């Protein structure tokens, strides 16, 4: 009996001894696994902490940059605030201020050297806005008379008046931009866009810009249009080609240029106008459609009235819809100067494009170029519509300018006055 028990005991012992290596192996594997898991967890935690630290550092750097930017902005604003000018009791600035600061083109200014001009305009019952720039400094920028007499609204430097035919310079600029972008050339024939116009294959973009196309049209006053597409259809159907490639002022050239802009871009003329001129920094302009509803609207007054404001001319959209590209935009005097300053100093179009359009390529001596006339010492522009007038004389370096913007257009007053003022600031007489 004892022998059997002994044998069973020895068998169990042997089995246990056989299990020891296996258990050791399991223990080793278990320990290795624990070490691996621990290292993995440690690595994950370390990376997480490093990432968190990096994010905190980036956030701190960002805050520092924002702080620096804010400090710079505050410093800049502080510097701008320091630029103050002496004013009269009514807030009028009474010293010259820089014309190359766009914000200054919305400020009322009457410097001592412009006192005689101011007195002259008052004595002549000028109605509108006058802007005079001498050697790059605004010496006069002021509203005169009423924007709307019935509403008791006076003209201010922010009055919006129709720019009339001066708009052609803006339309020409949109064409120049397309030429600069290689979407058009000065030699492109009109037939590429309007082949149905007789002789259009012999008329170039340059011919239309310079008013040497031979095209002419007279749209009857009783013609009614609902859309600018109807206007263009009427023009294309009824325009005449005289075949004479000499200068003749005909607004139809610029309506066709506006149509070409639409065809190339796939957008309306005004969309192109608004996008381009807003992008280059102009803010104070609009089209005729909502003109009466916008701040600064001015009523046109006929000069033949017994009193200054006895003959107001009612707003009629039919007057403007037919002037596509040629005279249906309103603006302020300051914005007009800003446009010509940027255009003539290379801020809008490459100089190579402007030099090409200004070449004396025609045999006649007319100096009409893309919306204005070259008067030798200065450029002259004039626009009249709906009894409103924009008259400009500006030196070729844009440092000197006289702008008379009137909602009671009076050529007999404007022409001698603008020439006189220009002579006073430059010493040169330029006939308007």
């Amino acid at each position: 009996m004892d022998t059997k028990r002994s044998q069973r005991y020895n068998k169990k012992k042997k089995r246990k001894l056989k299990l020891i290596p296996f258990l050791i192996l399991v223990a080793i594997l278990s320990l290795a696994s624990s070490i691996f898991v621990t290292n993995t967890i440690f690595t994950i935690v370390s990376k997480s902490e490093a990432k968190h630290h990096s994010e905190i550092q980036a956030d701190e750097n960002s805050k520092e940059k924002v702080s620096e930017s804010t400090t710079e902005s505050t410093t800049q604003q502080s510097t701008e605030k320091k630029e103050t000018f002496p004013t009269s009791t009514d807030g009028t600035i009474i010293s010259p201020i820089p014309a190359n600061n766009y914000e200054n083109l919305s400020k009322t200014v009457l410097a001592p050297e412009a006192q005689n001009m101011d007195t002259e305009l008052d004595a002549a019952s000028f109605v509108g806005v006058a802007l005079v720039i001498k050697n790059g400094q605004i010496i006069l920028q002021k509203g005169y008379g009423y924007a709307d007499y019935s509403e008791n609204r006076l003209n201010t430097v922010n009055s919006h008046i129709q720019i009339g035919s001066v708009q052609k310079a803006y339309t020409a600029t949109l064409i120049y931009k397309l030429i600069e972008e290689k979407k058009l050339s000065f030699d492109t024939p009109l037939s590429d866009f309007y082949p149905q116009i007789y002789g259009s294959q012999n008329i170039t973009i340059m011919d239309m810009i310079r008013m040497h196309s031979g095209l002419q049209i007279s749209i009857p006053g009783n013609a009614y249009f609902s859309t600018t597409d109807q206007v263009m259809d009427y023009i294309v159907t009824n325009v005449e080609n005289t075949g004479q490639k000499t200068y003749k002022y005909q607004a139809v050239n610029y309506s066709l240029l506006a149509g070409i802009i639409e065809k190339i871009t796939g957008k309306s003329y005004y969309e192109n106008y608004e996008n381009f001129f807003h992008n280059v920094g102009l803010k104070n302009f609009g089209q005729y459609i909502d003109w009466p509803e916008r701040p600064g609207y001015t009523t046109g007054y006929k000069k033949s009235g017994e009193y200054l404001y006895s003959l107001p001319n009612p707003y009629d959209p039919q007057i403007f819809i037919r002037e596509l590209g040629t005279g249906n935009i309103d603006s302020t005097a300051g914005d007009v100067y800003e446009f010509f300053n940027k255009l003539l100093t290379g801020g809008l179009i490459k100089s190579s494009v402007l030099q090409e359009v200004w070449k004396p390529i025609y045999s006649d001596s007319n100096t009409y170029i893309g919306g204005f006339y070259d008067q030798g010492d200065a450029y002259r522009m004039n626009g009249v519509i709906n009894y409103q007038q924009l008259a400009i004389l500006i030196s070729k370096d844009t440092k000197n300018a006289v702008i008379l913007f009137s909602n009671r257009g009076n050529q007999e007053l404007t022409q001698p006055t603008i020439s006189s003022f220009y002579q006073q600031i430059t010493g040169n007489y330029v006939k308007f």
Side-chain angles (χ1 to χ4, degrees):
M1 193 70 181
D2 292 336
T3 302
K4 289 181 179 180
R5 287 179 178 172
S6 177
Q7 289 175 347
R8 285 197 299 268
Y9 173 77
N10 288 335
K11 286 180 180 179
K12 287 180 180 180
K13 187 175 181 180
K14 287 179 181 179
R15 282 198 297 270
K16 287 180 179 179
L17 289 173
K18 287 181 181 179
L19 286 173
I20 288 173
F22 176 74
L23 292 172
I24 291 171
L25 178 62
V26 169
I28 291 170
L29 290 174
S30 177
L31 178 62
S33 176
S34 297
I35 292 171
F36 174 76
V37 170
T38 301
N39 286 339
T40 301
I41 292 172
F42 177 79
T43 301
I44 292 171
V45 170
S46 297
K47 287 182 178 180
S48 176
E49 288 179 349
K51 182 179 179 182
H52 181 62
H53 177 74
S54 176
E55 288 175 349
I56 290 173
Q57 188 64 43
D59 185 55
E60 287 176 354
N61 291 339
S62 177
K63 286 178 180 177
E64 286 177 5
K65 288 180 181 178
V66 170
S67 177
E68 289 173 3
S69 176
T70 304
T71 302
E72 289 175 3
S73 177
T74 303
T75 303
Q76 185 177 358
Q77 289 174 5
S78 176
T79 303
E80 289 174 355
K81 287 179 181 177
K82 289 179 182 177
E83 189 181 23
T84 57
F85 307 100
T87 60
S88 61
T89 54
D90 65 357
T92 299
I93 295 172
I94 55 176
S95 70
I97 62 175
N100 61 0
N101 183 334
Y102 184 67
E103 299 302 319
N104 288 344
L105 293 169
S106 297
K107 297 175 179 176
T108 302
V109 181
L110 177 54
E113 52 262 61
Q115 287 287 350
N116 289 340
M117 298 178 189
D118 178 56
T119 300
E120 187 175 336
L121 290 170
D122 275 332
S125 298
F126 174 72
V127 178
V129 180
L131 171 57
V132 180
I133 295 167
K134 179 180 180 180
N135 296 328
Q137 300 286 309
I138 301 170
I139 62 171
L140 176 64
Q141 186 169 217
K142 183 183 172 186
Y144 296 83
Y146 284 88
D148 190 287
Y149 186 74
S150 65
E151 296 178 1
N152 198 34
R153 285 192 299 108
L154 293 170
N155 273 316
T156 71
V157 295
N158 295 311
S159 288
H160 280 240
I161 299 175
Q162 290 292 323
I163 68 175
S165 292
V166 177
Q167 185 180 335
K168 294 176 179 65
Y170 294 72
T171 301
T173 300
L174 296 177
I175 289 291
Y176 301 155
K177 193 63 182 176
L178 292 174
I179 291 172
E180 187 179 290
E181 294 171 347
K182 309 298 184 185
K183 297 176 182 177
L184 194 64
S185 79
F186 287 116
D187 295 324
T188 301
L190 177 60
S191 56
D192 279 10
F193 307 96
Y194 296 105
Q196 62 271 52
I197 295 177
Y198 174 73
S200 57
Q201 71 276 10
N202 299 317
I203 298 171
T204 66
I205 298 297
M206 180 71 85
D207 291 334
M208 291 188 288
I209 290 173
R210 300 284 291 269
M211 298 279 192
H212 280 70
S213 66
L215 298 174
Q216 63 182 25
I217 194 172
S218 178
I219 301 177
N222 61 358
Y224 182 86
F225 304 102
S226 299
T227 65
T228 53
D229 286 342
Q230 291 179 356
V231 174
M232 290 306 301
D233 288 342
Y234 183 92
I235 287 173
V236 172
T237 303
N238 294 280
V239 67
E240 299 176 36
N241 184 357
T242 65
Q244 298 177 352
K245 301 292 281 290
T246 56
Y247 171 78
K248 185 176 182 181
Y249 189 93
Q250 278 285 317
V252 66
N253 288 287
Y254 281 77
S255 291
L256 289 169
L257 288 172
I260 289 171
I261 291 167
E262 292 185 336
K263 285 178 177 289
I264 291 176
T265 64
K267 297 178 181 179
S268 73
Y269 169 81
Y270 188 69
E271 279 183 279
N272 282 281
Y273 188 106
E274 185 175 44
N275 290 340
F276 180 78
F277 292 113
H278 272 167
N279 286 340
V280 298
L282 300 184
K283 301 175 183 176
N284 299 311
F285 65 82
Q287 64 172 330
Y288 71 96
I289 293 175
D290 62 345
W291 182 40
E293 283 74 50
R294 285 186 281 108
Y297 168 73
T298 53
T299 297
Y301 293 91
K302 300 177 183 179
K303 67 175 183 178
S304 57
E306 183 179 358
Y307 305 106
L308 279 178
Y309 308 102
S310 59
L311 290 178
N313 197 58
Y315 168 76
D316 180 3
Q318 281 299 308
I319 293 174
F320 301 104
I321 192 171
R322 64 186 63 202
E323 298 292 340
L324 177 65
T326 74
N328 58 15
I329 296 291
D330 62 89
S331 186
T332 63
D335 246 43
V336 169
Y337 173 76
E338 180 74 358
F339 163 67
F340 281 107
N341 182 37
K342 286 188 172 182
L343 175 65
L344 297 174
T345 57
L348 301 181
I349 302 297
K350 289 180 180 177
S351 59
S352 58
V353 176
L354 296 179
Q355 288 168 6
E356 186 174 354
V357 76
W358 288 338
K359 286 179 182 177
I361 60 174
Y362 297 99
S363 58
D364 58 43
S365 58
N366 191 272
T367 58
Y368 184 89
I369 306 171
F372 49 89
Y373 296 86
D374 188 340
Q375 298 292 96
D377 292 326
Y379 292 118
R380 172 176 68 88
M381 306 90 172
N382 189 43
V384 180
I385 189 169
N386 200 43
Y387 299 97
Q388 304 204 348
Q389 180 183 14
L390 170 57
I392 307 170
L393 280 178
I394 185 170
S395 61
K396 292 183 176 180
D397 63 2
T398 74
K399 298 295 184 183
N400 299 286
V402 181
I403 297 176
L404 296 181
F405 219 166
S406 178
N407 57 312
R408 189 178 183 271
N410 184 345
Q411 298 275 24
E412 289 79 9
L413 168 62
T414 302
Q415 291 180 357
T417 302
I418 196 169
S419 292
S420 172
F421 285 6
Y422 191 80
Q423 186 174 24
Q424 289 180 51
I425 62 174
T426 66
N428 298 323
Y429 177 80
V430 177
K431 185 178 180 180
F432 191 84

